[in-house]
Each structure stands twice: as C-alpha cells, then as structure tokens.
C-alpha cells in the first residue's frame, strides 16, 4: 500500500502593495504562520502608508523587508536574489495597477519587483483596486497579458462594496481564498494537469423531507466536496459543483460563490433532495471527463410527505420509508470509456472491505474510503484521512491532512496512478 506524506514546501514570500486591502493580508500572514509555514514579507513604500513593517514582522515572526533594505546582503548575496530563491511560492496582495504594469513589461525598480524577477517560483496575484481602475482597457490588457505567463496564477478580484463606497469589481479576494490558493500552489507548484477538463463534483448531505420543516438527513457539511472543487479549479479544471451545502458554510469559500477562480471556471448548482441531485448529476454527466461523487446521499426517504407542517399530534407513530435511486450506480452504468468515476465510502470499523465491494458493484474507477469514527476525519472535520482504491484494487493510503491537501492527493492518484510526495 502506497502512503502519502506531507510535501516539504513551506516557504511563502508575501509582497504587499499600496492599497486599503493591505489590512486583510495580516490575516493571511497570521494564518499561514499558524499552519506551520515560513513567511517572509516585503512591503512597498506605498504599502507602509496602510500597515507598518512592525505589524507584519510581529505576525510572521520575522523581519519585514522594505525598499530601505534593498542593498542589504544575506549570506553575502543581494537581498532580492536570496529572497527570490528562498521562496516556494510568491504572493502579491494587494496587487496594484502600478505593480501589475511593471510585472507585465518586466520592469523592476523596487525590492518587490526585483525579487519577483529573481525568482522562478509560482506567483499568486490578488489584485485590488477601484472598479473604474480595474476596468480600464490598459489594466485589463496588462492583466490578461501577465496571465499568459504560466508562472502567474490569480485569485479574485471579487465584487462588492469597495473602500471608495463604489459597489463593483475590484475587491481583493478574502483571506480564506488566498490561503487555499497558496496551499494549492505549494502542492502543485503551479501545474495545471486538469486544464480544459470538465470535472463534476457532488457535495453535502441530501435532505429527504417529511414536511417543510422535518427531514431525514446526515451530518455531512460538504467540506470535502468544497475542497475538491477548490483543488480542481486551482489545477485548471472547468468545475460543476452539485451541492446541498448550508449557505453559512459555502460563504466561507468565496471562490465557490463567485463562480470563477484562476484559469479554471466554476458553476454551482444548489439542490436539496437526492432526486434533485440525481437530476442535476444526470444533466451534467454526459459532458464531464471526471466525476467525483463525494456527497452523502440519502438511502431512504419518508414514504409520505405533507405540503404543510404537521402538528406534533399528527406525526405518524411509525414512519414508512422508501428507497431513493442509487445515483452512483446509475452513473456507473452510463459511464463511457473516456470518463473517470470516483465514489466515496464513509465507513466505521473496517473501511476497506465494504469499499472494495462498492467499487466493483457500482463500476467505479476509484473509491475513497474514509473513517467517520476516528478523530480528525469524516463529517464536519477540517481534516481527513482515507484509503483510495482503484479498479485494479491497488490501495493508496492518505495520512491525516487538511481536506484541501487530501483533495490534491486524490487528483494526484487519479491523474498519475500514484501519489505525488
């Protein structure tokens, strides 16, 4: 059995530009440090009008660098060379129109732009500016031109209320988006092995209603499905997410809500019941290359339904149940040779034996067996672990990790037939 281990890519260099959104970067720095990553920060001269070097130095537990340090040497080497080679991933947030223009044309007149040009690592761009500035022809030309360089990746911008009281595009991506994109880049190092592929993902737990307020359900939050969607988007896929995820949770993933991220694209369809999920999956299935059924779909539904809330005294003493269609088995029967179908098996106790049976019976290409009776795994947890089994019965063990990391391991296995360590 192959086993996945955490990658040893931990060094993130953050370049902060001059914009009010700079305050959001403090949360990014703090969160990345708490996650065990090494963080270094460069502030442009304009950025220091919004936050101080002392603030980011405190959050990153390391000296913050400014243009005043440009000629400082580290280990006898120029600072911009040392920082550029040190970084596994570079983040520019907020990316201003000024810095965007410089990078587009390969100009370097400060510590930040010199460091970016001295590095070969992936660069994550998080632009932020007034809507009229963002929509200028010159800015959009620079943006599209820079993204033609495969080294550069984007997160946002989103739309909403801006600091200038304008409502429109140009709002910097929220910290959870930026953090997830950084973690993805640390894993993939910028590869887009799902570019152009259509990935269909189901997520969340379905609800089978007895009346408008009562239902049969399960504890699934859809976090694993959201992580799979995020990872697929970061790897360049065109994603369709069929989900029954509570609004409060999906709002923590603005990339999902906004519908677009990086070079891939995103369409989200909200459903409630198993039948609604079935119809949406069948509609989107024919054009999909990779299908990941991570949703916890109900097995049964109430045999009766009332359009009005039942009074407590009217509730049946015994509830008749009816089976619901087996979506995954139906997709297995419809699958074409060019399609890859992945199922999930949430289990207690022995997770492998029932997963193998499910893999074969439902004609799957892969199945992800994960325990729901162990700490830090399963429903509602931010972490997970699993054994992935392919249709040749090869087993790949994914040790405890974040659900986003696990999503990337799953795609590594599917794309390469092995774990990318």
């Amino acid at each position: 059995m192959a086993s996945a281990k955490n990658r040893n890519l931990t060094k993130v260099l953050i370049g902060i530009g001059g914009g009010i959104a700079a305050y959001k970067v403090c949360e990014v720095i703090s969160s990345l440090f708490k996650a065990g990553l090494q963080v270094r920060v460069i502030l442009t001269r304009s950025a220091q009008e919004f936050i101080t070097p002392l603030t980011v130095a405190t959050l990153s537990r390391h000296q913050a660098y400014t243009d005043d340090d440009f000629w400082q040497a580290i280990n006898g080497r120029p600072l911009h060379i040392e920082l550029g080679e040190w970084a596994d991933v570079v983040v520019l947030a907020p990316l201003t129109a000024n810095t965007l223009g410089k990078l587009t044309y390969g100009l370097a007149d400060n510590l930040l732009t010199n460091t970016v040009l001295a590095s070969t690592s992936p660069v994550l761009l998080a632009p932020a500016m007034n809507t009229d500035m963002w929509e200028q022809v010159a800015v959009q030309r620079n943006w599209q031109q820079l993204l033609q360089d495969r080294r550069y990746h984007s997160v946002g911008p989103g739309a909403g209320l801006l600091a200038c009281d304008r409502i429109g595009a140009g709002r910097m991506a929220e910290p959870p988006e930026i953090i997830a994109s950084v973690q993805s880049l640390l894993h993939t190092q910028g590869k887009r092995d799902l570019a152009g592929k259509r990935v269909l993902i189901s997520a969340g737990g379905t609800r089978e209603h007895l009346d408008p307020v009562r239902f049969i359900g399960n504890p699934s939050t859809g976090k694993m499905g959201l992580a799979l969607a995020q990872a697929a988007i970061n790897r360049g896929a065109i994603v369709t997410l069929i989900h029954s995820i509570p609004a409060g949770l999906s709002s923590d993933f603005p990339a999902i809500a906004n519908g677009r991220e990086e070079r891939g694209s995103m369409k989200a369809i909200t459903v409630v019941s198993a039948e609604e999920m079935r119809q949406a999956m069948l509609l989107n299935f024919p054009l999909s290359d990779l299908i990941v059924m991570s949703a916890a779909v109900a097995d049964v539904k109430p045999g009766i339904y009332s359009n009005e809330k039942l009074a407590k005294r009217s509730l049946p003493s015994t509830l008749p149940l009816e089976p619901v269609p087996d979506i995954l088995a139906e997709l297995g029967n419809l699958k074409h040779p060019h399609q890859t179908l992945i199922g999930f098996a949430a289990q207690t106790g022995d997770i492998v034996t029932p997963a193998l049976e499910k893999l074969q019976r439902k004609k799957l290409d892969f199945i992800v067996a994960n325990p729901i009776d162990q700490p830090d795994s399963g429903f509602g947890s931010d972490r997970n672990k699993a054994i992935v089994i392919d249709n040749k019965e090869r087993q790949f063990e994914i040790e405890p990790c974040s659900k986003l990391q696990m999503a990337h391991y799953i795609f590594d296995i599917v794309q390469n037939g092995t774990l990318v360590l």
Side-chain angles (χ1 to χ4, degrees):
M1 179 186 294
S3 177
K5 300 178 181 178
N6 291 330
R7 288 166 167 263
N8 193 30
L9 299 178
T10 63
K11 296 173 288 188
V12 181
L13 175 65
I14 298 179
I16 303 178
I20 187 62
Y23 80 91
K24 293 183 180 180
V25 185
C26 294
E27 181 179 343
V28 175
I29 296 169
S30 178
S31 297
L32 292 177
F33 176 82
K34 290 176 181 177
L37 302 179
Q38 301 177 62
V39 183
R40 304 288 184 268
V41 183
I42 297 175
L43 295 97
T44 65
R45 201 169 298 281
S46 297
Q48 295 172 70
E49 299 295 327
F50 298 92
I51 56 176
T52 67
L54 176 61
T55 298
V56 298
T58 302
L59 294 173
S60 66
R61 278 62 162 190
H62 194 276
Q63 173 189 351
Y65 298 104
T66 69
D67 285 344
D68 292 338
D69 303 307
F70 190 94
W71 300 110
Q72 174 183 329
I74 297 181
N75 300 323
R77 307 179 72 215
L79 177 61
H80 65 287
I81 303 295
E82 193 72 12
L83 287 175
E85 294 180 356
W86 173 86
D88 293 320
V89 167
V90 178
V91 182
L92 303 184
L95 173 69
T96 63
N98 186 43
T99 300
L100 170 61
K102 292 177 183 178
L103 294 177
T104 301
Y105 293 98
L107 303 179
D109 66 349
N110 60 13
L111 177 60
L112 178 58
T113 50
N114 272 274
T115 303
V116 173
L117 293 187
S119 173
T120 58
S121 299
V123 180
L124 180 65
L125 307 172
M129 60 194 78
N130 165 269
T131 301
D132 289 331
M133 295 175 67
W134 173 248
E135 293 178 349
Q136 287 291 328
V137 172
V139 172
Q140 286 301 305
R141 182 184 63 239
N142 289 345
W143 178 246
Q144 296 302 325
Q145 183 174 328
L146 189 59
L147 289 181
Q148 293 303 308
D149 185 334
R150 304 281 297 179
R151 184 182 169 210
Y152 291 94
H153 305 256
S154 66
V155 55
L161 178 64
L162 307 180
C164 59
D165 291 329
R166 177 77 179 271
I167 297 176
R171 183 183 177 91
M172 192 177 84
E174 298 302 317
E177 277 188 280
I178 297 173
I179 292 164
S181 295
V182 169
Q183 291 169 335
S184 286
L185 282 177
L186 286 170
H187 182 93
T188 66
Q189 279 294 282
K191 70 180 179 185
R192 296 186 178 91
D193 54 358
L194 292 177
K197 292 197 174 183
R198 296 184 178 273
V199 179
L200 177 62
I201 299 171
S202 71
T206 61
R207 297 182 175 189
E208 309 304 322
H209 280 264
L210 169 65
D211 65 18
V213 299
R214 300 180 179 93
F215 60 87
I216 297 175
N218 60 66
S220 175
T221 59
K223 288 183 178 180
M224 191 67 237
L226 285 172
L228 286 160
Q230 180 78 62
I233 291 168
N234 289 145
R235 295 168 86 130
I238 303 166
V239 175
T240 299
L241 179 68
I242 313 296
H243 73 93
S244 54
I245 300 170
L249 178 61
S250 60
S251 65
D252 291 336
F253 292 79
I256 305 302
N258 292 342
R260 296 192 67 82
E261 170 80 356
E262 220 189 85
R263 305 282 176 88
S265 63
M266 175 80 192
K267 177 173 71 172
I269 300 171
T270 303
V271 298
V272 176
S273 67
E275 181 56 31
E276 289 177 0
M277 181 168 284
R278 173 179 176 268
Q279 293 295 334
M281 292 295 291
L282 290 175
L283 180 64
N284 289 276
F285 180 77
L287 296 178
S288 301
D289 301 299
L290 179 61
I291 303 93
V292 189
M293 194 74 184
S294 68
V297 183
D299 296 307
V300 294
K301 65 179 181 179
I304 57 175
Y305 176 75
S306 171
N307 289 318
E308 296 181 352
K309 179 186 176 182
L310 294 170
K312 187 175 182 178
R313 63 180 177 275
S314 300
L315 290 173
S317 57
T318 59
L319 183 63
L321 299 176
E322 296 178 357
V324 300
D326 189 328
I327 303 173
L328 189 55
E330 192 169 358
L331 297 179
N333 287 324
L334 294 173
K335 184 172 68 73
H336 293 286
H338 74 277
Q339 294 178 307
T340 300
L341 181 59
I342 305 166
F344 270 66
Q347 301 288 347
T348 59
D350 174 16
I351 66 174
V352 172
T353 302
L356 273 170
E357 188 275 331
K358 186 175 181 179
L359 171 78
Q360 296 161 354
R361 177 167 50 86
K362 300 192 180 186
K363 303 176 183 177
L364 309 180
D365 297 293
F366 296 87
I367 192 162
V368 182
N370 62 293
I372 57 173
D373 57 349
Q374 298 182 22
D376 284 336
S377 65
F379 298 138
S381 174
D382 292 325
R383 293 171 61 79
N384 214 346
K385 58 183 175 182
I387 295 175
V388 180
I389 309 171
D390 67 12
N391 54 17
K392 298 177 184 177
E393 299 190 9
R394 293 183 300 173
Q395 297 181 21
F396 306 86
E397 182 180 4
I398 300 177
E399 297 174 357
C401 59
S402 72
K403 287 188 172 178
L404 179 61
Q405 186 72 66
M406 180 167 151
H408 278 295
Y409 283 138
I410 291 169
F411 287 129
D412 287 342
I413 293 167
V414 171
Q415 290 294 94
N416 307 308
T418 186
L419 288 174
V420 179
L421 301 178

